[in-house]
Amino acid sequence: HDYAPGAPITSTGAINDSFHAIKRISTFATQFSQVLAHLSPEDQPAALQSKEGGSEISVIAQTGTQGDVVFILRGEGNRAKHAELLLPGGSTLSVPMGKDRAAWVLVNANLEGMATLDYTNLRPWAFLDQRMLVLFAPAGSEGVVSIDGALLELKVPGGFSPLITQHESLTIVILNDEQLDAAFVTSTGLLIGASELDEEDQPTLHAKFKHVTLVSSEGKMTKVTPPPVRRSGALPKLGAWACPELDAMLKGEDESFAALKELASLDKLAHGAPCGWYRLALPASKAAPQVMAPKWRGRVRVFAGGQPVALIGDVADAIAGPLKLPAARELVLFADSPGRLCEGWRQGEQQGPVGDLYAVKPVRLGKAATSTAPTPDVSSFCAFLSEFAFGDHVVGSTWKWTVKPKSREGLIVRIKGLPFRAVLLANDEPVAVYDPVQSAGCVTTFLEVGAHITGGRNALVLAAFDTLAARTDAGKFVSMFDITANLTSKAEWAFAPWKEPKDEAFAALKTASRSSQPRWYRSEFRLPDATAPLFFDPQGLSKGHVLLNGRHVGGYWQSIAGKAVANPQRLLLPDAWLKTDAANVLMIFDEEGRSPKASRLGR
């Protein structure tokens, strides 16, 4: 995705800044794979001679039958311009770091049987045709290269032209950082001055270079004429917008609602769709002063009488509770799933309103008894926790409360804003794990009487995975609620799939909704050709989904409760879904009914 932090390549194949860092190390690993494949990880002959710049420099050195490699990793605050290595023979090697936090050098490396690279303080990058050795370092650095015992001293060039020299039957090419990021290894030699290559290894001229140069293994430089840039056609414009009414759906009266014999998660009912509608018929219309839904996951918008009344869930803009709901016999829920997580502590979670809705009263926990104890074994409770080893039972801080439920239903415990990792135990059994990042800052747990706790006195323990300062008060991050009633134990549930309305339901858009109600929007555009990537920019919208010619393109998130998000994104319209011989239909579902008139198509 264009908006994914650190993504090296965008959804259209364009190059982001992180691509260059990845290209540096991956090209080195590919070109010198014979050295890396024969390393012996037990041997580490190189050592760090000095530490400069105010923070650590780490050295990872390994030897092998085809040569040795030394990686130098600089601490974030380190400002040293060089790292001084002490080689096995006692000589020193000053490695220029520049602005980089990582560098690597080769020692006694076999160059495919043609020569031996004794050592160099420059970073090896490529070895082409068993003859051309490509090295790089920051511009202006003093470099040394020893091949078969013959020493070569040089200075890394500035500007846009590489330094090329012959040394011990090899062609040595020296690049600075800027040249390297515009260089590519191809079957015909080394290209310099290209921003990217196409599928046939044809270059695109880099914006900072005047021309592309091909360097052969003999060191000959030849100018290359890049193919002409393919120009995209005129940018298509969106036609007039239309929208249908959703009153029947929001009031639970739509004919697509079907009764559920038992409540099920969104991923089981929606059949691949990212959203779905639930209708909840309560046995009474009595208002509950405070309610919580500890097992509702994702984002669940609650409507009463067709009007939005709450947003419940476990994501950034939703409320874990407690909250107030108006007196209503029937509620409609719009469930939106962030997707089944494939990594982290919450992978595999069900999505949507998968549990009951409870009336609650807050309970004062009181002062906790503090102690330290070995971290508990949570392997029986969690199958996998990233960045956590179940076998590591270090001593950690604990906080213990004695709690007693006032009802037969049980208790709800919420951990919110806790700045460290911890596990919650009820009567010595783990019932929840928490991490400030992995848990999105909040975990809500239902403690059922007869399953997790008893109707009498119970021990509730919050155990940290580290020993913290004695003054640390974890209690201010833990809240407990007594369940006074299960509001949905005898409720009737129904489900309606989320799908675009029929064409005849749409009418011309005159004014946008001002009641924060979800709305569908429809527009058309024509495209003479699909030779260039086309994006949809959801300017002015809130959160929702985009469909192109009946296919789900993806979701967008432009604002939370009226506040713009940090990284708003554009959506790529796949060229395989675009029509060039007929009108393309673009449909938007916006959760807050924001007007789409400011949104547009773009390249």
Side-chain angles (χ1 to χ4, degrees):
H1 296 290
D2 297 0
Y3 55 90
I9 299 177
T10 70
S11 51
T12 62
I15 291 175
N16 280 335
D17 290 341
S18 60
F19 173 84
H20 301 299
I22 294 173
K23 188 184 76 169
R24 291 183 182 190
I25 188 66
S26 61
T27 302
F28 162 71
T30 302
Q31 292 287 306
F32 294 92
S33 58
Q34 79 283 358
V35 175
L36 301 180
H38 289 84
L39 292 176
S40 302
E42 297 84 7
D43 299 330
Q44 298 185 13
L48 182 66
Q49 185 184 38
S50 63
K51 181 169 68 177
E52 301 176 2
S55 63
E56 292 183 356
I57 294 180
S58 300
V59 173
I60 302 174
Q62 293 182 318
T63 62
T65 57
Q66 297 298 306
D68 309 337
V69 61
V70 181
F71 290 95
I72 303 107
L73 307 176
R74 213 167 45 163
E76 186 173 1
N78 188 278
R79 296 293 181 266
K81 295 182 178 180
H82 297 81
E84 303 296 329
L85 294 182
L86 180 63
L87 297 180
S91 59
T92 61
L93 196 63
S94 181
V95 179
M97 298 294 295
K99 297 180 180 180
D100 298 331
R101 290 178 56 193
W104 57 90
V105 296
L106 290 177
V107 180
N108 298 324
N110 179 10
L111 299 179
E112 299 183 13
M114 302 303 296
T116 297
L117 175 59
D118 306 319
Y119 59 86
T120 177
N121 66 338
L122 308 180
R123 279 167 254 181
W125 190 62
F127 187 60
L128 284 69
D129 297 334
Q130 297 182 315
R131 184 168 180 177
M132 181 165 64
L133 178 63
V134 183
L135 309 169
F136 77 97
S141 301
E142 299 293 337
V144 293
V145 182
S146 178
I147 296 177
D148 291 336
L151 183 64
L152 173 67
E153 296 182 352
L154 48 85
K155 187 174 184 178
V156 178
F160 302 102
S161 296
L163 172 62
I164 302 175
T165 185
Q166 301 295 321
H167 183 59
E168 293 296 306
S169 76
L170 296 181
T171 300
I172 309 296
V173 180
I174 309 297
L175 305 177
N176 59 40
D177 292 340
E178 196 167 43
Q179 294 166 2
L180 182 80
D181 290 341
F184 291 87
V185 174
T186 71
S187 59
T188 56
L190 177 68
L191 282 175
I192 304 173
S195 61
E196 58 185 18
L197 302 180
D198 64 15
E199 62 273 11
E200 297 178 354
D201 278 355
Q202 294 299 308
T204 298
L205 179 63
H206 195 285
K208 295 182 178 180
F209 285 72
K210 294 182 178 180
H211 52 263
V212 179
T213 301
L214 175 66
V215 183
S216 68
S217 57
E218 294 81 15
K220 183 180 178 181
M221 299 175 64
T222 307
K223 289 185 179 181
V224 175
T225 302
V229 177
R230 186 171 56 184
R231 302 294 180 183
S232 59
L235 188 66
K237 294 184 177 181
L238 291 167
W241 289 98
C243 69
E245 293 295 333
L246 282 181
D247 287 351
M249 182 65 75
L250 295 174
K251 294 179 180 179
E253 300 169 354
D254 194 272
E255 61 183 12
S256 61
F257 278 104
L260 294 174
K261 294 182 179 180
E262 61 180 2
L263 183 61
S265 62
L266 180 62
D267 54 309
K268 290 184 179 179
L269 297 173
H271 302 293
C275 314
W277 298 92
Y278 291 81
R279 185 178 63 203
L280 170 58
L282 298 169
S285 60
K286 182 179 179 181
Q290 289 186 313
V291 300
M292 294 184 75
K295 293 185 179 181
W296 289 18
R297 299 291 182 257
R299 302 170 75 257
V300 181
R301 285 189 176 271
V302 184
F303 297 85
Q307 298 300 316
V309 295
L311 177 59
I312 304 176
D314 58 355
V315 293
D317 63 331
I319 300 174
L323 54 85
K324 293 183 179 181
L325 288 181
R329 170 71 175 81
E330 195 167 84
L331 300 173
V332 171
L333 315 177
F334 174 71
D336 180 33
S337 170
R340 293 293 291 271
L341 300 177
C342 61
E343 62 182 1
W345 290 25
R346 298 174 59 185
Q347 57 183 305
E349 277 189 352
Q350 293 181 322
Q351 296 294 325
V354 292
D356 286 309
L357 187 67
Y358 300 99
V360 300
K361 285 185 177 180
V363 177
R364 187 174 180 273
L365 275 173
K367 188 173 180 60
T370 59
S371 183
T372 57
T375 52
D377 182 5
V378 295
S379 58
S380 60
F381 175 73
C382 301
F384 172 74
L385 298 179
S386 59
E387 303 178 1
F388 179 81
F390 288 132
D392 295 342
H393 296 296
V394 299
V395 174
S397 301
T398 65
W399 294 262
K400 182 179 180 179
W401 299 270
T402 299
V403 298
K404 182 179 179 180
K406 294 182 180 180
S407 73
R408 296 180 180 180
E409 293 287 348
L411 299 166
I412 295 175
V413 178
R414 183 183 66 192
I415 305 171
K416 186 175 183 181
L418 191 70
F420 51 83
R421 296 188 307 174
V423 57
L424 184 69
L425 299 102
N427 299 324
D428 297 326
E429 293 295 327
V431 291
V433 289
Y434 171 91
D435 179 272
V437 176
Q438 300 280 353
S439 307
C442 185
V443 164
T444 305
T445 305
F446 170 49
L447 302 180
E448 184 181 359
V449 172
H452 308 105
I453 57 176
T454 69
R457 296 167 67 86
N458 300 270
L460 188 68
V461 175
L462 184 70
F465 290 108
D466 299 289
T467 301
L468 303 170
R471 65 179 182 275
T472 303
D473 181 16
K476 63 182 180 181
F477 303 104
V478 181
S479 305
M480 191 170 73
F481 305 86
D482 217 335
I483 297 175
T484 60
N486 185 334
L487 302 178
T488 54
S489 60
K490 296 182 180 179
E492 297 176 357
W493 289 88
F495 182 82
W498 177 82
K499 58 182 180 181
E500 65 271 27
K502 296 180 180 179
D503 290 347
E504 55 267 26
F506 285 85
L509 174 64
K510 296 181 180 179
T511 58
S513 168
R514 296 185 179 181
S515 59
S516 297
Q517 293 178 333
R519 298 192 86 172
W520 281 97
Y521 299 101
R522 183 182 188 276
S523 181
E524 294 184 358
F525 65 93
R526 289 188 174 272
L527 190 68
D529 61 69
T531 58
L534 188 64
F535 289 87
F536 174 70
D537 189 353
Q539 289 282 346
L541 297 172
S542 62
K543 183 185 184 303
H545 297 268
V546 176
L547 284 79
L548 173 65
N549 296 325
R551 299 190 181 194
H552 183 246
V553 173
Y556 61 86
W557 200 329
Q558 293 291 107
S559 64
I560 298 176
K563 296 182 179 180
V565 299
N567 296 301
Q569 71 271 22
R570 302 188 304 164
L571 293 174
L572 174 67
L573 303 180
D575 55 3
W577 298 357
L578 290 168
K579 299 177 181 179
T580 56
D581 57 351
N584 291 278
V585 177
L586 188 72
M587 299 186 72
I588 301 171
F589 178 85
D590 192 79
E591 286 190 19
E592 296 181 3
R594 302 280 185 85
S595 172
K597 291 185 177 181
S599 60
R600 57 184 182 270
L601 299 174
R603 298 294 187 189

